[in-house]
Amino acid sequence: MRRFLALLLLLLSAATPLGAHAETGYDLWLRYQPVEDEWRVRYAAATAQVIAPSSPAIDVAFDELIRGLEGLLGRAPTRRDGAIGDGAIVLGTEKSPRIASLGLPLARLGNEGYLIRSATIEGKRVTVIAANRDVGVLYGVFRFLKLIQTRQSLDALDITDAPKLQVRVLNHWDNLDRHVERGYAGQSIWDWQKLPGYKDPRYTDYARANASIGINGTVLTNVNANADVLRPEWLEKVKALAEVFRPYGIKVYLTARFSAPIELGGLKTADPLDPQVAAWWKAKIDEIYRVIPDFGGLLVKANSEGQPGPNDYKRTHADGANMLADALAPHGGTLMWRAFVYAAENPDDRHKQAYTEFQPLDGKFRDNVLVQVKNGAIDFQPREPFHPLFGAMPKTPLMMEFQITKEYLGFATHLAYLGTMWEEVLEADTFRPRKGSTVAKILETPVEAGAVTGMAGVANIGSDMNWTGSQFDQANWYAFGRFAWDPDAQAEPIARDWAAMTWGGDPAVTRPVVAMMMGSREAVVDYMTPLGLGHLMATGHHYGPGPWVADLARPEWNPAYYHKADAVGIGFDRTAKGTNAVAQYARPVAAQFGDLKRVPDALLLWFHHVPWEHRMRSGRSVWEELVVRYDRGVDAVKAMESEWDGLKGKIDDRRWTEVRDFLSIQRQEAGWWRDASVAYFQSVSKRPLPAGHAAPAHDLDWYKAINTPYAPGNGK
Ligand code: GCW
């Protein structure tokens, strides 16, 4: 009986909100599993103590510290105020006299930075986590817990950190019916039907996860959504979410459909220069701020892929953005205006259209506008060169838009760590205005003192138990937060942190996990779009290969538009002999990309059309190299599979099995991409496969006949 009771107790004690889902992945990187005995001894002194006056952010920081210590160390002695104890982890701001008396260099930490320092207060050895604002203390607590999660020493700590960008937001492409455009992790986590009455505890865990990586804003709705979220009854729902997120330093933002004055306001026009239109928006925005006083602002997709916008009235993007920005400005709100535009009527290379349209508007946007630019000029492909707008609008705040959800990198099942892709873009040198002006530097450097900076990530979050559709896709959410905090960060240490927090501290596990992650994106590039190819996926849902597609209404929707393969050669000529898109880059960059001898292999076919016999650096022809790369990609997935097999028993069974099964799906789909692409390109090149490379399993028609109308995430 005793035994039974003990067992029951054990089971019950595991049934805490996060623990209940232990090892399904629900806990993300905040698992707080017990450290090994030797570390428990080393961390023995740690005691949570808060000396800051209670506030929503301080309270959640303290709760998190206790939760973390309890999980990691199996105990969490706590104190509130009173005498300082030995080993105390002291949380506070300058408002706490005992913190102020330490004379810490808090000033340069700004509103969100923090400091973690070993110190002595009242003769006791303590760890101070201090900040100017309460939210900084919360960020500091997460960083402190990470030290334990990644088994660092807690002695002689001297850490200061502050975000390099101000606006660090997720963009949810979530519609009000809970369909997530390009979502592969179930439905939207926003259960609008039950809001505002019921606030799912999951919203709190969402906020915790985001705060742990420094994300401070979330755009709740899809850039393609209708205007309904701006109706009063919906704003009440948004308010309920804002209340949950507020203690975690997270502001809510919404998308604004440009035609809302017509659809909601009954006006005849949405012309941004029409006074009635501006008045309607002003009233609407005032209304939003009455409901949500710290509302973050609006995000707009205009005149892109059928969305309404100022061009409909022969006005510029600046006219549209400024009208909304003016209404937001009195409330301190920010307007994010997307530069992802290309027009059906415009026959010019799609690569050039955003630059052509936006660059001349440099300096014409209000101060509270952030122009949101995708990392590349086409559309979140597995590899694209950096967008030529970075560095080309020195008077306009530009924010980065990355896509965390893997629309073009294998949906949820393919293991593809995007940290390496983002690092590649962020460290790219724009040479604007000079050498060393990396994309990261451009994002970080305000265009004038006090100007706004930011980064957005299209979320991969949904209602799936594991949040992101797969265990490894959590790493992409995590890495996005880290890069938004510090665009100069490196993918590998981020992967190491994530792996240790997510899979446990055993190096026999983390080493292979990190190795898999670091090579994973290149594997996807190889089996989908090697050598600078891009946009070769099937139509609509974008699931699987479709390089043969050439019959869609708009030219730039067709894969054939991008690869331009014919009997003679392959690739898109964007040099001066072709569309001259290279000229949109600074001269040294254009010179490199535009020169067949200097362009990196990885971008060859992005910028050049070459004959099939073109010699690569490897000595192979481009045709042979293509096949070699496709096979290399498939082989890399097989290698990941065997690496993962070796981890059986070293990690919990449920997550291990899920990853194993996903890798097997990935291997099959990588093979599908390889075979279909090789079959197609061979039908065009009419060349034999290089020796040692197998013929596709089926003929081309077989691949063309594959039809998957219910693949998830399609737009509506
Ligand atoms: O990548 C494309 C997607 C669309 C998306 C669009 C955009 C939200 O296929 O689903 O729409 O980009 O970024 O606006």
Side-chain angles (χ1 to χ4, degrees):
M1 186 62 185
R2 257 228 194 117
R3 269 235 190 113
F4 172 76
L5 275 180
L7 188 69
L8 194 71
L9 266 175
L10 198 78
L11 287 174
L12 283 177
S13 69
T16 55
L18 277 176
H21 311 284
E23 310 312 325
T24 59
Y26 182 87
D27 295 349
L28 297 161
W29 49 89
L30 302 176
R31 288 165 63 245
Y32 303 144
Q33 292 296 301
V35 300
E36 304 72 26
D37 287 343
E38 50 164 313
W39 286 101
R40 200 195 318 272
V41 174
R42 292 183 62 174
Y43 296 143
T47 306
Q49 181 156 12
V50 62
I51 59 174
S54 168
S55 80
I58 291 290
D59 293 350
V60 296
F62 194 48
D63 286 351
E64 192 71 32
L65 183 60
I66 292 167
R67 182 204 287 254
L69 293 181
E70 235 157 33
L72 289 158
L73 307 181
R75 44 157 212 104
T78 58
R79 291 163 172 248
R80 217 171 227 291
D81 302 312
I84 300 280
D86 235 340
I89 301 144
V90 178
L91 312 189
T93 62
E94 263 204 317
K95 282 184 239 150
S96 335
R98 282 179 289 188
I99 298 276
S101 72
L102 293 173
L104 300 168
L106 290 174
R108 57 189 155 92
L109 297 177
N111 288 340
E112 295 176 302
Y114 59 83
L115 163 163
I116 304 178
R117 209 182 253 204
S118 304
T120 304
I121 303 184
E122 291 156 21
K124 309 285 190 216
R125 292 168 53 103
V126 301
T127 305
V128 176
I129 303 178
N132 293 311
R133 298 274 181 92
D134 295 350
V135 71
V137 174
L138 176 63
Y139 290 153
V141 162
F142 279 115
R143 176 69 175 272
F144 177 81
L145 289 170
K146 189 173 93 182
L147 293 172
I148 302 183
Q149 289 174 285
T150 54
R151 313 290 187 267
Q152 317 274 319
S153 162
L154 300 182
D155 302 331
L157 292 175
D158 186 8
I159 298 171
T160 53
D161 202 5
K164 291 185 184 161
L165 300 181
Q166 294 165 32
V167 178
R168 307 179 298 278
V169 285
L170 290 179
N171 287 185
H172 285 266
W173 285 357
D174 295 15
N175 292 338
L176 299 186
D177 63 1
R178 299 189 76 175
H179 173 74
V180 182
E181 183 159 349
R182 311 310 175 185
Y184 313 104
Q187 287 196 296
S188 169
I189 56 169
W190 318 131
D191 190 351
W192 295 110
Q193 174 69 16
K194 301 196 190 80
L195 283 164
Y198 174 66
K199 296 178 193 170
D200 190 327
R202 191 162 190 166
Y203 305 146
T204 307
D205 288 330
Y206 167 88
R208 289 178 50 232
N210 279 320
S212 77
I213 48 177
I215 289 172
N216 66 0
T218 177
V219 186
L220 302 175
T221 44
N222 186 0
V223 288
N224 284 338
N226 61 31
D228 285 340
V229 77
L230 301 176
R231 294 179 190 275
E233 63 276 23
W234 284 88
L235 293 178
E236 288 303 317
K237 298 169 190 278
V238 174
K239 174 187 180 185
L241 289 174
E243 279 163 3
V244 177
F245 302 157
R246 188 168 295 123
Y248 295 89
I250 297 168
K251 288 186 175 183
V252 297
Y253 297 74
L254 293 172
T255 45
R257 189 170 154 89
F258 203 74
S259 50
I262 302 174
E263 287 142 17
L264 303 186
L267 302 187
K268 292 216 166 46
T269 175
D271 181 350
L273 300 192
D274 183 312
Q276 269 190 306
V277 170
W280 186 87
W281 276 113
K282 187 179 175 335
K284 178 51 74 182
I285 286 168
D286 290 347
E287 175 191 346
I288 297 176
Y289 278 91
R290 275 196 301 278
V291 181
I292 307 155
D294 57 352
F295 182 67
L298 297 169
L299 167 66
V300 183
K301 170 176 178 178
N303 294 118
S304 171
E305 302 185 329
Q307 292 301 326
N311 292 173
D312 303 347
Y313 309 95
K314 306 216 170 354
R315 313 294 186 198
T316 68
H317 283 276
D319 293 331
N322 290 343
M323 182 264 302
L324 290 168
D326 285 342
L328 285 161
H331 305 284
T334 302
L335 181 74
M336 298 176 281
W337 189 271
R338 297 176 87 225
F340 175 70
V341 297
Y342 60 98
E345 319 74 54
N346 191 342
D348 204 5
D349 179 358
R350 176 170 161 192
H351 191 293
K352 293 166 69 178
Q353 295 189 28
Y355 181 102
T356 305
E357 184 134 10
F358 275 80
Q359 201 285 328
L361 298 174
D362 187 27
K364 301 223 157 66
F365 292 94
R366 298 284 191 266
D367 287 352
N368 58 331
V369 176
L370 268 167
V371 174
Q372 182 168 312
V373 182
K374 288 188 182 181
N375 57 274
I378 300 297
D379 195 3
F380 300 136
Q381 295 306 296
R383 169 165 283 121
E384 291 192 33
F386 71 87
H387 202 300
L389 273 175
F390 290 112
M393 296 183 69
K395 294 186 221 128
T396 307
L398 300 188
M399 76 191 291
M400 173 62 79
E401 178 174 340
F402 284 133
Q403 191 180 44
I404 310 171
T405 188
K406 302 207 313 302
E407 174 179 1
Y408 300 106
L409 288 101
F411 293 8
T413 43
H414 294 211
L415 196 165
Y417 172 53
L418 304 181
T420 48
M421 173 159 98
W422 299 334
E423 179 185 299
E424 178 179 302
V425 172
L426 290 165
E427 71 182 19
D429 197 340
T430 70
F431 284 83
R432 283 186 164 132
R434 65 187 69 83
K435 189 170 165 33
S437 303
T438 60
V439 173
K441 288 281 163 291
I442 296 203
L443 297 173
E444 290 162 10
T445 313
V447 295
E448 59 189 35
V452 59
T453 57
M455 187 183 288
V458 179
N460 62 352
I461 296 161
S463 58
D464 278 9
M465 185 82 97
N466 63 26
W467 297 88
T468 53
S470 89
Q471 305 298 334
F472 272 88
D473 281 330
Q474 297 179 356
N476 294 326
W477 178 7
Y478 179 82
F480 169 74
R482 294 282 301 270
F483 279 110
W485 181 277
D486 179 7
D488 298 305
Q490 301 282 298
E492 184 156 4
I494 293 174
R496 276 204 301 270
D497 283 348
W498 177 81
M501 290 191 276
T502 305
W503 300 104
D506 180 359
V509 174
T510 51
R511 224 177 289 123
V513 164
V514 171
M516 286 167 67
M517 290 167 74
M518 290 304 290
S520 58
R521 176 266 190 152
E522 202 62 43
V524 178
V525 171
D526 279 341
Y527 64 71
M528 286 187 183
T529 51
L531 299 179
L533 290 172
H535 209 285
L536 302 187
M537 66 290 164
T539 305
H541 48 60
H542 297 168
Y543 172 62
W548 46 81
V549 175
D551 59 354
L552 302 176
R554 286 167 57 164
E556 77 287 350
W557 282 350
N558 290 295
Y561 168 92
Y562 294 93
H563 62 64
K564 303 212 186 304
D566 56 24
V568 182
I570 182 170
F572 198 130
D573 187 355
R574 294 191 164 105
T575 69
K577 292 192 273 82
T579 68
N580 207 18
V582 285
Q584 294 183 334
Y585 290 97
R587 234 184 258 140
V589 180
Q592 191 202 3
F593 289 165
D595 181 348
L596 202 47
K597 296 206 188 60
R598 291 176 58 211
V599 67
D601 286 355
L603 293 176
L604 174 69
L605 304 178
W606 193 274
F607 289 110
H608 298 268
H609 186 82
V610 295
W612 291 109
E613 293 311 322
H614 171 79
R615 282 292 128 199
M616 303 292 298
R617 293 188 175 90
S618 64
R620 290 187 276 266
S621 72
V622 72
W623 161 248
E624 291 163 341
E625 188 70 33
L626 210 56
V627 178
V628 167
R629 297 286 175 120
Y630 274 116
D631 277 324
R632 191 172 84 175
V634 178
D635 289 345
V637 180
K638 291 181 185 156
M640 286 202 284
E641 273 192 294
S642 47
E643 193 88 82
W644 193 255
D645 278 341
L647 295 180
K648 186 168 171 51
K650 294 204 174 75
I651 50 190
D652 49 285
D653 209 46
R654 180 168 171 166
R655 289 191 303 161
W656 181 83
T657 307
E658 182 187 308
V659 174
R660 181 204 54 193
D661 292 349
F662 281 19
L663 283 167
S664 145
I665 295 172
Q666 184 176 7
R667 180 189 13 92
Q668 292 162 43
E669 294 185 351
W672 170 28
W673 267 93
R674 180 266 179 205
D675 281 350
S677 307
V678 169
Y680 169 71
F681 287 123
Q682 190 173 30
S683 78
V684 184
S685 81
K686 310 261 194 281
R687 276 157 172 80
L689 292 174
H693 293 268
H698 303 277
D699 66 13
L700 179 58
D701 287 338
W702 192 89
Y703 297 105
K704 284 187 175 176
I706 295 175
N707 183 19
T708 59
Y710 304 112
N714 211 346
K716 279 207 259 195

